Each structure stands twice: as C-alpha cells, then as structure tokens.
Amino acid sequence: MQWWRDAVFYRVYVPSFTDSDGDGLGDLPGIRNRLGYLELLGVDALCLSPICPSPMADHGYDVTDPRDVDRRWGSLPAFDALLTDAHAHGLRLVVDLVPRHTSEGHNWFRAALASAPGSSERARYHFRPGRGDGGAAPPNDWPSVFGGPAWTREPVSDDADGDDGRREWYLHLFSSAQPDLDWTHGEVRADLETTLRFWLERGVDGVRIDVAHGLCPPADLPDLAGDPRLDQDAVHDVHRTIRAILDGYTGRMAVGGVAVAAPERLARYVRPDELHLAVDVVLAHAPFDADGVRKVIEGCLTAVGAVGAPATWMLADHDVVRPVSRHGGGPAGLARARAMALVQLALPGAAFLYNGDELGLPDGAVPVEARRDLVWTHPEDSRDGSRVPLPWDDTLPGLGFTAGSSWLPIPDAYAALCAATQLEDTDSTLSLYRQALELRRTHAGFRGGKPEWFDGPSGCFAFRRAGTSLVCVLNASSAPVPLPAGDILLVSGPLEYGLLPPDTAAWLS
Ligand code: GLC
C-alpha cells in the first residue's frame, strides 16, 4: 500500500506548535493534545521537525544523539504515546532525521577535536589542513549556506605547544555548530542504518531526510567550479541503502528535502530504488504568477513522471516566508495564499502543508532583540517570522500556545486568527482547508491523472485532472474572469457577480 503517493502531510514545527508544560516551547504532549484538531483538519500524516537531543544552535537541526528525544520536547515514552495516539486518530507519523551533519556537541565531534590530525576520530568528519602561510586560510573556497566560509579552524587546544600550523579546519556547509560528516566513512553509514531501524522499530510510518542532496561532496573537496558541494552522484548510493532498509518494513516511506537546480535533478532522488518522495522549495519561492506556477508544475510532473514517482508539492516550511506575507500581506496576500492552497491540493501527488498555513497566518514580526534564528546577519535574513508559535484560542493566556512565556513573541495580530474562532467561521481559512481536504478525500476527480491544461484569459490558468471532470482554475490576473462550465465545488474567496475575482482559485466538477 503506497499511502504516501497522494497523502497530505502536515509539518509540525515542534517548538511552535503547542506547549503543554509552560516552558514557552512546544512539546510532544502538546502535539498529542491537538490530534483531534489535526484529524478534524483532515490531513493524513504528521511530519515533525527534529526531536532528537540538540543544543538548539539550529533548533534541532544540530543533533547530539539521533536515537533519543530532547528533554525539551519530552522523552521516548512521550514519543511512543504520541505515535500510538496518532495512529488511533488515523494519522501517520514521520520523523525528521538530520544525517548530513552532527552537532558540534556530538560525542564523535568532541572526540575528533580531542584527537590529533590524521586520527581515526577525525576521519568521520572533513578535517583538512589550511592553505597559505601557517595554514591560516581555509582549505578551499566554499561558502556556507548560511553565509561566510564553510570552514572553521579548530580552536587552540589547552595543551597547545605554540605550533599553530597544526590546527586543522573542519567543513560545515551550514553553521560551524553543524560539522559535516564524511559519508565515505563506514561508521557514518552504519550509524544511519542503526538510527533508521531505531525509529522504524518504534513504528514510525516514515522518515524525512534533511538536505538529502547534500551528503557526498567529492573526496578531494575541489574549489568551486559549478557547485561541487551539493547534488553529487555519490549521494544516490546512500539513498539506495536507505531504501533497502525501508523495504524491509511494510508501508514505510522516506521523503527527502531536496533543493537542486532542475526538476530532472530532483527526479533522480525518487528513482524506483531511492527515496519515495522528494520535496523541493520551488513552489514555495514561486511568485504569484499563473504562467510561472504552471511552468513549475509541468516541469516537476514531467521529470518525476519519467521515473514513475509522484510529485510532492510544498508552499511553505520553517525556512521560508509564509505565503500570506510572501504574496504581499494584507487581504491580497491572504487571498493569494488561499488560492494557491487550492492549486496545491488539486495537483496529483503528495502535498506538504506547514503548520499555521491552514490559519492563514502571516509571518510574525520578530523584533531584532527577540530573534532566535542563527542565520540572520541582517534583519531580513531571519527565518523566525515563519516560526512564531501558533494561535489556538484567544480566551486563553498565550493564545492557547503556552501558559508561560512564548520562546518567540506572538504578535497581537494573531489573536484574530486563532484556530478556535476559525473553526466556527465557515468563511475562515481553516474552513477552506477543511473543505478542500474533505473534497480531496471523497471526490473521485482527485484520483484522476495529470493536469490537462486549457487556454484561458491571460494571467489565469485552468486544468482538468485527466479522465475526470475535476477542474481547477486560478485567476492571478488583475480582472475578474468567467468560470468554465461546471458545478462549483469550492472557491477560495467570494465570486463577484458570478465571475472569479483576481487572487482567487476555484474547483469545479
Ligand atoms: C534544512 C532545514 C533547515 C536547517 C538546515 C540545516 O535545510 O530545513 O532549517 O537550517 O537543514 O540542517
């Protein structure tokens, strides 16, 4: 049973979902308390942000032990309880693994720093002597994804004898708190296998592989010429190993976070013996433009179709600006975000929703002094805006997110967007999502084939799911347009005298 092929996954950013113990951070019991909400929403699976022990330099994407739960979120028994209850609510559960790097606090990395250059302890990471005078320059010219060089020189050790030139550099494509593992090392690969089995034996339905395209740089770590840091052929062997392990269990899946240059490159990650799904950020970066969105959709469907894999559509996650804000904020931003949700959910394949998008949340404005994201070097770089905690109930302290003091400030504007209020309002964004997900489950059109596009007014598109009567129309132009023939199933905003207004999408049958 390949349940993931058209599943709707709901990404829970654990720190910001629900806090059950008043420490201001979300946690696993908090998620457990909201399973009824998620069932009502109508998603198929939860995909949790990383829950393993971490010093939180990158909010869990820096792991010290991949086979335990950080005490901030709970414990392994709390995880097991969540998993059992999720299954009882008909929800599947996926955990996010971060295999490409560890935390600088991981025992392996501490042992590496405590050991001499050339030691076996260092061989699990990429340690290299520096270039230039006294080795004072990084071993190559690679930048980190977060800015600055991808190399940090090891600190001067306590027993330094003054021979600074022996100090090596270590590679980190993200922050210096996230040293990169060397995937040619047998123990590194064996450890991922142990980790996969650990979570699969506990009963998880799937795993997410973070930065799945970024595990295997060329062994000689050459200077930039193209971009040798990411998307190298050798990585596919790791994914074949992951797949072989998953294939030993029933009904389990792996989804990769894959950000590559072209859909054809993405498709290589979902070949029949590799990952089941790969999620890219292209649609989450696409402007609100019918031709551009159509191009992304067609490119992706053609590429993954060629390898027999389903597409995976994502409009947002914890790394990007929320759709409402990205599309301009205010009523127009919200209208566009709602329209894009109907486009996303009408497409064949799997969909990833990001928590809070079903409430139509804009990014929260986080004052500079309250910023928590490590990547920001100047204000607009921060990813904190899309990580602001969710508003649940405006009659409760902390809007029902926490009884304590929220780890990121919740803006006043979120009070009007609480889930409890939206559940009662048939025009709310939450109601739109619930209706869309219900139709997606029950209407045969959503089991149809690829989109068949038909011509429409400029700035608009319309497609029919092949072999069915289901039509999705998007009006991204600045004028109202007539709807094609058919019964309206759902509209993302009110019609104007029977016409589909700008910034609006509709489903017809
Ligand atoms: C992924 C995560 C991001 C994190 C990075 C490094 O891209 O989505 O939040 O910073 O990996 O682990």
Side-chain angles (χ1 to χ4, degrees), residues 1 27 46 93 98 123 178 184 198 220 227 240 249 258 263 266 269 284 289 298 329 346 386 399 444 451 486 497 500:
M1 181 199 32
D27 49 43
L46 313 186
L93 198 130
V98 191
Q178 296 162 300
T184 62
F198 177 86
D220 59 341
D227 190 348
R240 283 188 279 270
Y249 297 78
V258 178
L266 180 102
Y269 291 80
D289 163 70
E298 288 185 300
S386 61
L399 298 184
Y497 305 106
L500 187 70

Side-chain angles (χ1 to χ4, degrees), residues 319-377:
D319 290 331
V320 301
V321 174
R322 283 192 183 274
V324 171
S325 301
R326 193 171 67 241
H327 295 313
L334 178 61
R336 291 170 174 184
R338 290 168 59 119
M340 282 305 295
L342 291 200
V343 172
Q344 177 191 25
L345 293 172
L347 291 169
F352 272 69
L353 311 184
Y354 178 55
N355 61 190
D357 281 346
E358 79 279 15
L359 302 176
L361 297 184
D363 263 27
V366 179
V368 167
E369 62 282 5
R371 292 276 163 80
R372 301 292 286 272
D373 181 20
L374 60 74
V375 311
W376 73 282
T377 46

Side-chain angles (χ1 to χ4, degrees), residues 413-501:
Y414 276 24
L417 295 167
C418 288
T421 323
Q422 293 203 36
L423 277 173
E424 304 298 322
D425 172 3
T426 51
D427 292 330
S428 69
T429 303
L430 180 53
S431 294
L432 177 74
Y433 268 89
R434 286 183 63 196
Q435 293 170 74
L437 292 170
E438 158 108 42
L439 280 166
R440 191 179 150 109
R441 270 195 312 277
T442 53
H443 192 288
F446 294 90
R447 287 178 283 287
K450 286 215 310 195
E452 293 169 346
W453 303 86
F454 39 96
D455 291 333
S458 114
C460 301
F461 68 55
F463 63 81
R464 183 194 312 280
R465 288 286 298 274
T468 78
S469 59
L470 179 75
V471 171
C472 174
V473 193
L474 171 73
N475 182 0
S477 79
S478 54
V481 296
L483 283 166
D487 295 331
I488 295 175
L489 296 173
L490 193 59
V491 208
S492 66
L495 297 184
E496 276 173 22
Y497 305 106
L499 299 176
L500 187 70

Side-chain angles (χ1 to χ4, degrees), residues 187-221:
E187 278 176 43
V188 169
R189 296 180 64 141
D191 195 66
L192 176 61
E193 169 158 359
T194 311
T195 298
L196 285 166
R197 293 195 188 284
F198 177 86
W199 294 104
L200 291 166
E201 297 291 340
R202 293 199 101 78
V204 301
D205 301 284
V207 293
R208 176 181 180 277
I209 306 292
D210 185 49
V211 200
H213 57 300
L215 309 179
C216 298
D220 59 341
L221 306 179

Side-chain angles (χ1 to χ4, degrees), residues 252-279:
R252 318 298 177 90
M253 56 82 63
V255 52
V258 178
V260 287
E264 294 70 30
R265 300 297 299 181
L266 180 102
R268 290 158 53 91
Y269 291 80
V270 286
R271 290 178 288 194
D273 58 349
E274 299 196 36
L275 301 172
H276 300 83
L277 299 176
V279 207

Side-chain angles (χ1 to χ4, degrees), residues 58 61 98 101 146 174 178 210-211 318-319 383 387:
D58 193 14
Y61 285 96
V98 191
H101 44 249
F146 290 164
F174 291 88
Q178 296 162 300
D210 185 49
V211 200
H318 63 287
D319 290 331
R383 299 173 294 180
R387 299 174 176 187

